[in-house]
């Protein structure tokens, strides 16, 4: 990695870390949301972007992480850290036990199966008294947005570092091979089952951690909001908009789309949804491989980049 | 003895070149088909036969001249080529499996407007292909391989073709069935339908055709009257590019 | 000398269709065996049985005297069975070097474990196939013949003992075919045994030590190339039955 880029990233990190001191309260809250969304997008990136398995089950991991923290703190009076660990354990168990059968499916079938899992989890948790059933749980309040902000930033940094490490590791190359040609990868010596389940698990761990932080920050959760499917859709859109299979793409996607969404809701409230939809459609038409790809190749190709995308996708 | 006047070629292909993503597949293919002829195009797998048919139907970009009845194909789309009367019976039949035989046949005449003539043609088809008449309300996918091939040919005929291109008809069919189908193809020539027969089975194709072309790795390596090619002891060398 | 690969009475059925029936043959170390046959003969099915993409319905596959019937594909790669694919799929976004490095990171005995060593070895393989001048290009910028060499380099990076080549000659002109033939001979000189599926008969005749002919899933001939190609049974399989 070039020294100049390294410097820029460190500078950005420092700037971001300092936000709670120079930014408004509203901005910090926006920041926490955006950062957690970025973590989710990055988590999805591992299984969806790099391995090529578009998961609609990441919201399950998020929910498990939330409930892990909530149950540990509310029912068993354990500290937050232990709660986070518990959430991770739940996520890993889920990923390994259900990942093995579900990852045998390809493409659309895999997506549908994970979708089904999400629905099932909501139903199960709604009936668990330990989890407060339909009413949910209320966590002990902690009024310290600064702390949550830094935790979220820290989590995003770790997640991104992990992905960066992936791109230089045998494991990461194996995932890419699976994405590009799973049969070819197997024949080349990649233990595809092991790698897929590991990617799913890794993706789940980060999603769970994000869920845990969010639960403690909001101090309330119920099955509907914890396993919210629209969250999964959001994280996919953000990852894909920014650039799936890249290190920074999902972060850029999450930040930019959060900002656009925020701006639209405040300025043009009534048709915010419509505009957001138009933005997404335009992105899919003109830059289907995400912002990252556009920035990289658009520079050399100029306007021809968009023309080629339209032609290639036969519009 | 009166000599036959030189009939103008129905289909004329000159210097056709086709490539897939940077790889040339057909090199300078030149051939012609005369009215009411049966021309055999033979070659082993990978020789480029199906690619040639697809290029003629304008489903693939290519360079070179293709003209039928004097009409150039430059810039035409596949459905326009179909409209001119160039109809393909594709490899593997490609029937609408879950439609009845009759519906499949009617789909063949989908673009024709002359309802009365279509009805007459349908009756003619049923006379020509009694097994199809018997099975007209059966789902096409439930028939045997030979019956399906028959249906595919009949469907192409329902489009009132000028030139019918049949791709690998004999694959997977019993010899008896193949002979039956070949007989049908020979018979329809009296109705003015010209046939370009693409086949792996060289002897089969050449024993029914008038003329033949042998393809090998994208090139025409031998051509001539079918009878002469059949008697040519070295034809396998051409077929294999040796 | 013990054969490297032994296929005994291999049969493979697919829901009523017998794609391969009772096929047996051996491949000696350092041998180039050509696998030919008309369309639908079962050649790819046979290669899939050896590479592990499919398991046999009956019969045995032995590699270095070990039965590998139920061994999953990736374990066979670790044993030293490598394969090229007919429809080459390089990783388009990655440079040529990394495409081959992936092969070097897996393959025999698990391959190289770190990226640097893998890239080093990938460089060697690319040089071997003559692509050292395009190492930094993106894989999708390569021409057709270039991609075929890339596919070969990737397979070589796996350090195979047995290489299964699936139609490497398709679409190449005469000059390019000669180059690929030379390349495959060089691969053999390194001690790698090769099973080649090919449709370009002219090419496979000069390349192979022996030919194996499949037709409708059965072995119909085996032996020295010229003898096999003169065999009337083989000629009839390709050209059809002679008629009166």
């Amino acid at each position: 990695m070039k020294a100049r880029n390294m410097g820029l990233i460190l500078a950005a990190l420092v700037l971001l870390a300092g936000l709670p001191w120079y930014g408004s309260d509203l901005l910090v809250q926006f920041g926490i949301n955006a950062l957690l969304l970025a973590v989710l997008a990055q988590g999805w990136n591992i299984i969806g972007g790099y391995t090529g398995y578009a998961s609609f089950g990441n919201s399950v991991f998020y929910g498990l992480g939330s409930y892990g923290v909530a149950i540990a703190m509310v029912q068993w009076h354990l500290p937050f850290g232990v709660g986070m660990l518990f959430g991770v354990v739940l996520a890993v168990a889920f990923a390994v036990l259900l990942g093995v059968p579900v990852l045998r499916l390809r493409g659309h079938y895999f997506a549908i199966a994970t979708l089904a899992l999400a629905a099932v989890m909501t139903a199960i948790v709604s009936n668990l008294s330990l989890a407060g059933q339909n009413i949910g749980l209320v966590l002990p309040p902690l009024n310290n947005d600064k702390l949550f902000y830094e935790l979220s930033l820290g989590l995003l940094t770790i997640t991104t570092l992990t992905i960066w490490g992936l791109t230089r590791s045998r494991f990461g190359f194996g995932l890419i091979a699976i994405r590009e040609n799973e049969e070819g990868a197997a024949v080349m010596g990649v233990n595809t089952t092991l790698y897929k389940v590991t990617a799913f698990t890794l993706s789940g761990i980060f999603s769970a951690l994000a869920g845990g932080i969010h639960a403690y920050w909001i101090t309330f959760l119920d099955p509907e909001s914890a396993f919210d499917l629209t969250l999964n859709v959001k994280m996919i859109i953000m990852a894909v908009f920014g650039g799936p299979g890249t290190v920074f793409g999902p972060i850029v996607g999450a930040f930019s789309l959060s900002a656009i969404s925020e701006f639209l809701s405040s300025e043009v409230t009534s048709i915010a949804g419509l505009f957001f939809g138009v933005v997404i459609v335009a992105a899919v038409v003109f830059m289907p491989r995400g912002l990252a790809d556009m920035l990289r190749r658009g520079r050399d190709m100029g306007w021809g980049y968009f023309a080629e995308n339209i032609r290639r996708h036969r519009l | 003895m009166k000599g036959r006047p030189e009939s103008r070629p129905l289909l004329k292909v000159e210097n056709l070149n086709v490539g897939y993503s940077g790889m040339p597949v057909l090199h300078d293919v030149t051939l012609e088909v005369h009215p009411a002829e049966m021309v055999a195009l033979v070659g082993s797998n990978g020789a480029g036969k199906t690619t040639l048919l697809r290029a003629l139907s304008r489903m693939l970009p290519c360079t070179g001249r293709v003209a039928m009845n004097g009409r150039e194909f430059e810039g035409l789309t596949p459905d326009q080529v179909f409209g001119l009367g160039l109809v393909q019976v594709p490899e593997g039949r490609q029937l609408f499996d879950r439609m009845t035989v009759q519906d499949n046949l009617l789909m063949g005449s989908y673009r024709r407007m002359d309802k009365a003539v279509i009805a007459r043609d349908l009756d003619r088809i049923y006379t020509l292909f009694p097994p199809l008449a018997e099975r007209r309300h059966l789902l096409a996918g439930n028939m045997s391989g030979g019956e399906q091939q028959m249906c595919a040919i009949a469907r192409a005929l329902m489009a009132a073709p000028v030139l019918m291109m049949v791709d690998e008809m004999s694959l997977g069919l019993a010899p008896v069935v193949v002979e039956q189908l070949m007989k049908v193809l020979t018979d329809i020539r009296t109705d003015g339908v010209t046939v370009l027969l693409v086949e792996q089975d060289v002897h089969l194709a050449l024993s029914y055709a008038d003329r033949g072309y042998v393809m090998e790795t994208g090139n025409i390596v031998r051509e001539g009257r079918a009878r002469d090619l059949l008697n040519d002891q070295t034809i396998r060398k051409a077929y294999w590019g040796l | 000398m013990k054969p490297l690969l032994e296929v005994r009475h291999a049969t493979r059925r697919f829901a009523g269709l017998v794609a391969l029936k009772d096929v047996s043959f051996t491949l000696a170390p350092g041998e180039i065996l050509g696998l030919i046959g008309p369309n639908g003969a079962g050649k790819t099915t046979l290669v899939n049985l050896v590479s592990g993409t499919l398991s046999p319905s009956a019969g045995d596959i032995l590699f270095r005297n070990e039965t590998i019937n139920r061994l999953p594909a990736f374990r066979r790669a670790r044993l030293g069975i490598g394969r090229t694919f007919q429809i080459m799929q390089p990783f388009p976004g990655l440079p040529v070097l990394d495409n081959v490095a992936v092969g070097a990171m897996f393959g025999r005995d698990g391959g190289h474990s770190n990226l640097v060593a893998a890239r080093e070895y990938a460089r060697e393989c690319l040089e071997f196939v003559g692509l050292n001048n395009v190492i930094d290009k993106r894989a999708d910028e390569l021409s057709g013949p270039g991609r075929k060499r890339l596919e070969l380099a990737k397979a070589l990076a796996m350090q195979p003992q047995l290489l299964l080549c699936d139609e490497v000659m398709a679409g190449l002109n005469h000059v390019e075919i000669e180059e690929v033939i030379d390349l495959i001979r060089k691969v053999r000189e390194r001690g790698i045994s090769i099973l080649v599926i090919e449709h370009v008969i002219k090419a496979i005749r000069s390349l192979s030590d022996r030919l194996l002919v499949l037709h409708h899933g059965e072995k119909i001939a085996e032996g020295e190339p010229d003898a096999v190609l003169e065999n009337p049974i083989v000629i009839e399989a390709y050209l059809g039955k002679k008629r009166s």
Side-chain angles (χ1 to χ4, degrees), chain A residues 70-95:
Chain A
I71 292 175
M73 294 185 80
V74 175
Q75 309 286 45
W76 301 330
H77 308 290
L78 294 167
F80 176 60
V82 178
M84 289 280 263
L85 205 64
F86 182 48
V88 167
V89 167
L90 287 175
V92 170
F94 184 83

PDB file of all heavy atoms in Angstrom, chain A residues 70-95:
ATOM      1  N   ALA A  70     -28.566  -7.989  25.077  1.00  0.00           N
ATOM      2  CA  ALA A  70     -29.756  -7.675  25.883  1.00  0.00           C
ATOM      3  C   ALA A  70     -30.019  -8.741  26.944  1.00  0.00           C
ATOM      4  O   ALA A  70     -30.224  -8.435  28.123  1.00  0.00           O
ATOM      5  CB  ALA A  70     -30.953  -7.509  24.958  1.00  0.00           C
ATOM      6  N   ILE A  71     -30.022  -9.986  26.541  1.00  0.00           N
ATOM      7  CA  ILE A  71     -30.297 -11.078  27.483  1.00  0.00           C
ATOM      8  C   ILE A  71     -29.217 -11.122  28.562  1.00  0.00           C
ATOM      9  O   ILE A  71     -29.513 -11.212  29.765  1.00  0.00           O
ATOM     10  CB  ILE A  71     -30.384 -12.428  26.752  1.00  0.00           C
ATOM     11  CG1 ILE A  71     -31.617 -12.459  25.851  1.00  0.00           C
ATOM     12  CG2 ILE A  71     -30.423 -13.577  27.756  1.00  0.00           C
ATOM     13  CD1 ILE A  71     -31.716 -13.711  24.992  1.00  0.00           C
ATOM     14  N   ALA A  72     -27.976 -11.024  28.160  1.00  0.00           N
ATOM     15  CA  ALA A  72     -26.880 -11.094  29.134  1.00  0.00           C
ATOM     16  C   ALA A  72     -26.993  -9.975  30.169  1.00  0.00           C
ATOM     17  O   ALA A  72     -26.803 -10.186  31.366  1.00  0.00           O
ATOM     18  CB  ALA A  72     -25.540 -11.023  28.415  1.00  0.00           C
ATOM     19  N   MET A  73     -27.317  -8.769  29.681  1.00  0.00           N
ATOM     20  CA  MET A  73     -27.334  -7.635  30.598  1.00  0.00           C
ATOM     21  C   MET A  73     -28.618  -7.565  31.412  1.00  0.00           C
ATOM     22  O   MET A  73     -28.594  -7.240  32.597  1.00  0.00           O
ATOM     23  CB  MET A  73     -27.143  -6.327  29.823  1.00  0.00           C
ATOM     24  CG  MET A  73     -25.775  -6.219  29.182  1.00  0.00           C
ATOM     25  SD  MET A  73     -25.505  -4.634  28.394  1.00  0.00           S
ATOM     26  CE  MET A  73     -25.109  -3.637  29.800  1.00  0.00           C
ATOM     27  N   VAL A  74     -29.747  -7.844  30.774  1.00  0.00           N
ATOM     28  CA  VAL A  74     -31.036  -7.678  31.457  1.00  0.00           C
ATOM     29  C   VAL A  74     -31.395  -8.901  32.307  1.00  0.00           C
ATOM     30  O   VAL A  74     -31.804  -8.771  33.446  1.00  0.00           O
ATOM     31  CB  VAL A  74     -32.156  -7.404  30.422  1.00  0.00           C
ATOM     32  CG1 VAL A  74     -33.502  -7.362  31.092  1.00  0.00           C
ATOM     33  CG2 VAL A  74     -31.861  -6.124  29.667  1.00  0.00           C
ATOM     34  N   GLN A  75     -31.253 -10.092  31.736  1.00  0.00           N
ATOM     35  CA  GLN A  75     -31.698 -11.294  32.440  1.00  0.00           C
ATOM     36  C   GLN A  75     -30.640 -11.845  33.384  1.00  0.00           C
ATOM     37  O   GLN A  75     -30.970 -12.429  34.410  1.00  0.00           O
ATOM     38  CB  GLN A  75     -32.077 -12.386  31.433  1.00  0.00           C
ATOM     39  CG  GLN A  75     -33.043 -11.953  30.349  1.00  0.00           C
ATOM     40  CD  GLN A  75     -34.474 -11.793  30.863  1.00  0.00           C
ATOM     41  OE1 GLN A  75     -34.698 -11.213  31.916  1.00  0.00           O
ATOM     42  NE2 GLN A  75     -35.423 -12.304  30.106  1.00  0.00           N
ATOM     43  N   TRP A  76     -29.384 -11.716  32.994  1.00  0.00           N
ATOM     44  CA  TRP A  76     -28.340 -12.324  33.817  1.00  0.00           C
ATOM     45  C   TRP A  76     -27.420 -11.311  34.476  1.00  0.00           C
ATOM     46  O   TRP A  76     -26.471 -11.686  35.149  1.00  0.00           O
ATOM     47  CB  TRP A  76     -27.510 -13.281  32.948  1.00  0.00           C
ATOM     48  CG  TRP A  76     -28.327 -14.367  32.331  1.00  0.00           C
ATOM     49  CD1 TRP A  76     -29.454 -14.919  32.845  1.00  0.00           C
ATOM     50  CD2 TRP A  76     -28.076 -15.015  31.083  1.00  0.00           C
ATOM     51  NE1 TRP A  76     -29.936 -15.892  31.994  1.00  0.00           N
ATOM     52  CE2 TRP A  76     -29.111 -15.974  30.899  1.00  0.00           C
ATOM     53  CE3 TRP A  76     -27.097 -14.896  30.111  1.00  0.00           C
ATOM     54  CZ2 TRP A  76     -29.180 -16.788  29.781  1.00  0.00           C
ATOM     55  CZ3 TRP A  76     -27.166 -15.721  29.004  1.00  0.00           C
ATOM     56  CH2 TRP A  76     -28.202 -16.654  28.833  1.00  0.00           C
ATOM     57  N   HIS A  77     -27.701 -10.037  34.249  1.00  0.00           N
ATOM     58  CA  HIS A  77     -26.947  -8.949  34.887  1.00  0.00           C
ATOM     59  C   HIS A  77     -25.445  -9.061  34.678  1.00  0.00           C
ATOM     60  O   HIS A  77     -24.652  -8.885  35.598  1.00  0.00           O
ATOM     61  CB  HIS A  77     -27.274  -8.887  36.391  1.00  0.00           C
ATOM     62  CG  HIS A  77     -28.758  -8.826  36.623  1.00  0.00           C
ATOM     63  ND1 HIS A  77     -29.526  -7.723  36.309  1.00  0.00           N
ATOM     64  CD2 HIS A  77     -29.615  -9.757  37.081  1.00  0.00           C
ATOM     65  CE1 HIS A  77     -30.800  -7.979  36.577  1.00  0.00           C
ATOM     66  NE2 HIS A  77     -30.884  -9.203  37.054  1.00  0.00           N
ATOM     67  N   LEU A  78     -25.077  -9.396  33.467  1.00  0.00           N
ATOM     68  CA  LEU A  78     -23.656  -9.485  33.136  1.00  0.00           C
ATOM     69  C   LEU A  78     -23.217  -8.193  32.448  1.00  0.00           C
ATOM     70  O   LEU A  78     -24.036  -7.468  31.899  1.00  0.00           O
ATOM     71  CB  LEU A  78     -23.423 -10.676  32.198  1.00  0.00           C
ATOM     72  CG  LEU A  78     -23.689 -12.057  32.811  1.00  0.00           C
ATOM     73  CD1 LEU A  78     -23.750 -13.115  31.729  1.00  0.00           C
ATOM     74  CD2 LEU A  78     -22.581 -12.393  33.824  1.00  0.00           C
ATOM     75  N   PRO A  79     -21.921  -7.902  32.472  1.00  0.00           N
ATOM     76  CA  PRO A  79     -21.460  -6.671  31.825  1.00  0.00           C
ATOM     77  C   PRO A  79     -21.576  -6.723  30.291  1.00  0.00           C
ATOM     78  O   PRO A  79     -21.725  -7.785  29.708  1.00  0.00           O
ATOM     79  CB  PRO A  79     -19.991  -6.550  32.246  1.00  0.00           C
ATOM     80  CG  PRO A  79     -19.606  -7.904  32.704  1.00  0.00           C
ATOM     81  CD  PRO A  79     -20.831  -8.591  33.187  1.00  0.00           C
ATOM     82  N   PHE A  80     -21.493  -5.555  29.695  1.00  0.00           N
ATOM     83  CA  PHE A  80     -21.658  -5.381  28.255  1.00  0.00           C
ATOM     84  C   PHE A  80     -20.686  -6.265  27.470  1.00  0.00           C
ATOM     85  O   PHE A  80     -21.079  -6.930  26.505  1.00  0.00           O
ATOM     86  CB  PHE A  80     -21.446  -3.899  27.909  1.00  0.00           C
ATOM     87  CG  PHE A  80     -21.496  -3.613  26.442  1.00  0.00           C
ATOM     88  CD1 PHE A  80     -22.627  -3.897  25.689  1.00  0.00           C
ATOM     89  CD2 PHE A  80     -20.399  -3.039  25.801  1.00  0.00           C
ATOM     90  CE1 PHE A  80     -22.666  -3.620  24.328  1.00  0.00           C
ATOM     91  CE2 PHE A  80     -20.440  -2.755  24.452  1.00  0.00           C
ATOM     92  CZ  PHE A  80     -21.570  -3.056  23.712  1.00  0.00           C
ATOM     93  N   GLY A  81     -19.433  -6.279  27.889  1.00  0.00           N
ATOM     94  CA  GLY A  81     -18.423  -7.060  27.166  1.00  0.00           C
ATOM     95  C   GLY A  81     -18.814  -8.531  27.067  1.00  0.00           C
ATOM     96  O   GLY A  81     -18.693  -9.142  26.009  1.00  0.00           O
ATOM     97  N   VAL A  82     -19.275  -9.080  28.196  1.00  0.00           N
ATOM     98  CA  VAL A  82     -19.685 -10.485  28.187  1.00  0.00           C
ATOM     99  C   VAL A  82     -20.870 -10.681  27.258  1.00  0.00           C
ATOM    100  O   VAL A  82     -20.972 -11.668  26.531  1.00  0.00           O
ATOM    101  CB  VAL A  82     -20.043 -10.961  29.615  1.00  0.00           C
ATOM    102  CG1 VAL A  82     -20.524 -12.397  29.589  1.00  0.00           C
ATOM    103  CG2 VAL A  82     -18.848 -10.802  30.535  1.00  0.00           C
ATOM    104  N   GLY A  83     -21.778  -9.687  27.296  1.00  0.00           N
ATOM    105  CA  GLY A  83     -22.931  -9.736  26.407  1.00  0.00           C
ATOM    106  C   GLY A  83     -22.512  -9.811  24.944  1.00  0.00           C
ATOM    107  O   GLY A  83     -23.063 -10.587  24.156  1.00  0.00           O
ATOM    108  N   MET A  84     -21.516  -8.992  24.590  1.00  0.00           N
ATOM    109  CA  MET A  84     -21.023  -8.994  23.209  1.00  0.00           C
ATOM    110  C   MET A  84     -20.470 -10.373  22.855  1.00  0.00           C
ATOM    111  O   MET A  84     -20.733 -10.908  21.774  1.00  0.00           O
ATOM    112  CB  MET A  84     -19.915  -7.944  23.051  1.00  0.00           C
ATOM    113  CG  MET A  84     -20.420  -6.518  23.093  1.00  0.00           C
ATOM    114  SD  MET A  84     -21.127  -6.010  21.509  1.00  0.00           S
ATOM    115  CE  MET A  84     -19.717  -5.162  20.808  1.00  0.00           C
ATOM    116  N   LEU A  85     -19.734 -10.947  23.805  1.00  0.00           N
ATOM    117  CA  LEU A  85     -19.156 -12.271  23.566  1.00  0.00           C
ATOM    118  C   LEU A  85     -20.263 -13.299  23.354  1.00  0.00           C
ATOM    119  O   LEU A  85     -20.186 -14.138  22.449  1.00  0.00           O
ATOM    120  CB  LEU A  85     -18.304 -12.664  24.785  1.00  0.00           C
ATOM    121  CG  LEU A  85     -17.196 -13.676  24.514  1.00  0.00           C
ATOM    122  CD1 LEU A  85     -16.186 -13.071  23.550  1.00  0.00           C
ATOM    123  CD2 LEU A  85     -16.505 -14.057  25.827  1.00  0.00           C
ATOM    124  N   PHE A  86     -21.273 -13.196  24.191  1.00  0.00           N
ATOM    125  CA  PHE A  86     -22.401 -14.119  24.073  1.00  0.00           C
ATOM    126  C   PHE A  86     -23.045 -13.984  22.690  1.00  0.00           C
ATOM    127  O   PHE A  86     -23.393 -14.967  22.044  1.00  0.00           O
ATOM    128  CB  PHE A  86     -23.414 -13.824  25.199  1.00  0.00           C
ATOM    129  CG  PHE A  86     -24.597 -14.743  25.206  1.00  0.00           C
ATOM    130  CD1 PHE A  86     -24.442 -16.119  25.120  1.00  0.00           C
ATOM    131  CD2 PHE A  86     -25.887 -14.229  25.309  1.00  0.00           C
ATOM    132  CE1 PHE A  86     -25.541 -16.965  25.131  1.00  0.00           C
ATOM    133  CE2 PHE A  86     -26.992 -15.068  25.333  1.00  0.00           C
ATOM    134  CZ  PHE A  86     -26.823 -16.446  25.237  1.00  0.00           C
ATOM    135  N   GLY A  87     -23.230 -12.748  22.265  1.00  0.00           N
ATOM    136  CA  GLY A  87     -23.803 -12.497  20.939  1.00  0.00           C
ATOM    137  C   GLY A  87     -22.962 -13.155  19.855  1.00  0.00           C
ATOM    138  O   GLY A  87     -23.488 -13.769  18.920  1.00  0.00           O
ATOM    139  N   VAL A  88     -21.649 -13.047  19.995  1.00  0.00           N
ATOM    140  CA  VAL A  88     -20.756 -13.649  19.002  1.00  0.00           C
ATOM    141  C   VAL A  88     -20.899 -15.166  19.003  1.00  0.00           C
ATOM    142  O   VAL A  88     -20.951 -15.806  17.944  1.00  0.00           O
ATOM    143  CB  VAL A  88     -19.298 -13.239  19.274  1.00  0.00           C
ATOM    144  CG1 VAL A  88     -18.344 -14.097  18.454  1.00  0.00           C
ATOM    145  CG2 VAL A  88     -19.086 -11.779  18.933  1.00  0.00           C
ATOM    146  N   VAL A  89     -20.976 -15.743  20.211  1.00  0.00           N
ATOM    147  CA  VAL A  89     -21.130 -17.204  20.308  1.00  0.00           C
ATOM    148  C   VAL A  89     -22.403 -17.655  19.608  1.00  0.00           C
ATOM    149  O   VAL A  89     -22.403 -18.625  18.838  1.00  0.00           O
ATOM    150  CB  VAL A  89     -21.142 -17.641  21.795  1.00  0.00           C
ATOM    151  CG1 VAL A  89     -21.607 -19.077  21.925  1.00  0.00           C
ATOM    152  CG2 VAL A  89     -19.762 -17.475  22.394  1.00  0.00           C
ATOM    153  N   LEU A  90     -23.492 -16.908  19.838  1.00  0.00           N
ATOM    154  CA  LEU A  90     -24.750 -17.243  19.172  1.00  0.00           C
ATOM    155  C   LEU A  90     -24.594 -17.178  17.653  1.00  0.00           C
ATOM    156  O   LEU A  90     -25.054 -18.056  16.922  1.00  0.00           O
ATOM    157  CB  LEU A  90     -25.855 -16.271  19.610  1.00  0.00           C
ATOM    158  CG  LEU A  90     -26.406 -16.441  21.025  1.00  0.00           C
ATOM    159  CD1 LEU A  90     -27.394 -15.324  21.325  1.00  0.00           C
ATOM    160  CD2 LEU A  90     -27.074 -17.795  21.185  1.00  0.00           C
ATOM    161  N   ALA A  91     -23.944 -16.121  17.199  1.00  0.00           N
ATOM    162  CA  ALA A  91     -23.776 -15.932  15.753  1.00  0.00           C
ATOM    163  C   ALA A  91     -22.948 -17.065  15.159  1.00  0.00           C
ATOM    164  O   ALA A  91     -23.302 -17.620  14.102  1.00  0.00           O
ATOM    165  CB  ALA A  91     -23.117 -14.588  15.461  1.00  0.00           C
ATOM    166  N   VAL A  92     -21.858 -17.428  15.834  1.00  0.00           N
ATOM    167  CA  VAL A  92     -21.000 -18.493  15.304  1.00  0.00           C
ATOM    168  C   VAL A  92     -21.758 -19.805  15.247  1.00  0.00           C
ATOM    169  O   VAL A  92     -21.709 -20.537  14.251  1.00  0.00           O
ATOM    170  CB  VAL A  92     -19.724 -18.638  16.165  1.00  0.00           C
ATOM    171  CG1 VAL A  92     -18.960 -19.878  15.762  1.00  0.00           C
ATOM    172  CG2 VAL A  92     -18.850 -17.413  16.011  1.00  0.00           C
ATOM    173  N   ALA A  93     -22.500 -20.098  16.332  1.00  0.00           N
ATOM    174  CA  ALA A  93     -23.268 -21.343  16.342  1.00  0.00           C
ATOM    175  C   ALA A  93     -24.254 -21.377  15.186  1.00  0.00           C
ATOM    176  O   ALA A  93     -24.374 -22.370  14.470  1.00  0.00           O
ATOM    177  CB  ALA A  93     -24.014 -21.467  17.675  1.00  0.00           C
ATOM    178  N   PHE A  94     -24.960 -20.286  15.002  1.00  0.00           N
ATOM    179  CA  PHE A  94     -25.934 -20.188  13.921  1.00  0.00           C
ATOM    180  C   PHE A  94     -25.268 -20.366  12.568  1.00  0.00           C
ATOM    181  O   PHE A  94     -25.746 -21.111  11.710  1.00  0.00           O
ATOM    182  CB  PHE A  94     -26.621 -18.818  14.013  1.00  0.00           C
ATOM    183  CG  PHE A  94     -27.721 -18.626  13.011  1.00  0.00           C
ATOM    184  CD1 PHE A  94     -28.985 -19.107  13.261  1.00  0.00           C
ATOM    185  CD2 PHE A  94     -27.486 -17.963  11.827  1.00  0.00           C
ATOM    186  CE1 PHE A  94     -30.016 -18.923  12.355  1.00  0.00           C
ATOM    187  CE2 PHE A  94     -28.496 -17.774  10.908  1.00  0.00           C
ATOM    188  CZ  PHE A  94     -29.765 -18.264  11.170  1.00  0.00           C
ATOM    189  N   ALA A  95     -24.138 -19.682  12.379  1.00  0.00           N
ATOM    190  CA  ALA A  95     -23.458 -19.727  11.087  1.00  0.00           C
ATOM    191  C   ALA A  95     -22.992 -21.133  10.759  1.00  0.00           C
ATOM    192  O   ALA A  95     -23.115 -21.605   9.632  1.00  0.00           O
ATOM    193  CB  ALA A  95     -22.271 -18.766  11.072  1.00  0.00           C
TER     194      ALA A  95
END
